[in-house]
Amino acid sequence: MSRQLSMLEDICLNSARRIQHIPMLAARCEDTRFTGILKKQWEEYCEIHEEAQKLLSWKGGGAPQNPEISRLSTQAATNLRTLTDRSVSRLAELRILDSSRGLTDVTRSLHQKQAPDAERQLAERLRSLEETHIREMREYL
């Protein structure tokens, strides 16, 4: 597989993980303002994910599959981490951890992989989005 597709696959997988995780957190929250922010973040990841999938398809690659085991492990971890504390502060902390992982992944991809400008711009957009989400969640700690 070419290095171009590899960066796009990284973006797809990264955004897919956030798309899965955010609704799990929102389901545990009763604060409508906080769930509104989570919904906005979810929509932003959906936009990036869709764009990355379109670029992958245009380049002849298929969308990478996020394995079911990944979804189940994310769900189990979220359930465990919110078992005794479902406060907005705890949910914000989990979003910060999740976005920090995403930020690390996309930064690594940007440094290690060569890609055309369109793919790099999308990765930079995802990096910036992760940073913004971390800042947004810090208000709730």
Side-chain angles (χ1 to χ4, degrees):
M1 180 162 296
S2 76
R3 299 184 105 198
Q4 296 171 5
L5 296 181
S6 182
M7 183 175 283
L8 289 172
E9 286 177 338
D10 288 350
I11 293 168
C12 278
L13 288 172
N14 191 321
S15 57
R17 287 183 190 115
R18 307 304 165 261
I19 290 168
Q20 288 176 344
H21 190 239
I22 290 174
M24 291 177 200
L25 294 177
R28 288 158 176 77
C29 184
E30 295 178 11
D31 183 312
T32 56
R33 182 172 176 260
F34 187 77
T35 55
I37 291 170
L38 290 177
K39 184 176 187 274
K40 178 187 71 77
Q41 290 181 358
W42 181 82
E43 289 168 351
E44 292 168 338
Y45 287 118
C46 287
E47 288 174 19
I48 286 179
H49 187 74
E50 185 178 325
E51 192 171 332
Q53 285 184 318
K54 284 179 184 176
L55 283 170
L56 263 173
S57 178
W58 185 76
K59 299 252 182 211
Q65 298 299 312
N66 197 9
E68 180 69 10
I69 192 77
S70 173
R71 186 189 66 76
L72 291 173
S73 72
T74 298
Q75 188 172 15
T78 301
N79 288 338
L80 183 62
R81 290 177 176 152
T82 58
L83 189 62
T84 60
D85 184 1
R86 291 183 174 198
S87 68
V88 171
S89 175
R90 179 64 174 153
L91 299 176
E93 178 185 350
L94 294 175
R95 273 297 298 129
I96 289 170
L97 290 171
D98 196 38
S99 281
S100 294
R101 266 186 243 113
L103 182 58
T104 300
D105 292 345
V106 73
T107 302
R108 180 180 299 121
S109 186
L110 281 163
H111 287 288
Q112 292 178 349
K113 298 176 181 170
Q114 299 295 318
D117 285 343
E119 287 88 346
R120 293 193 71 74
Q121 287 173 358
L122 188 58
E124 286 290 348
R125 195 167 124 211
L126 179 58
R127 184 191 56 74
S128 177
L129 189 65
E130 298 289 16
E131 290 172 343
T132 299
H133 290 175
I134 291 168
R135 281 192 302 276
E136 287 175 345
M137 291 295 109
R138 282 184 184 151
E139 294 178 28
Y140 289 94
L141 296 178

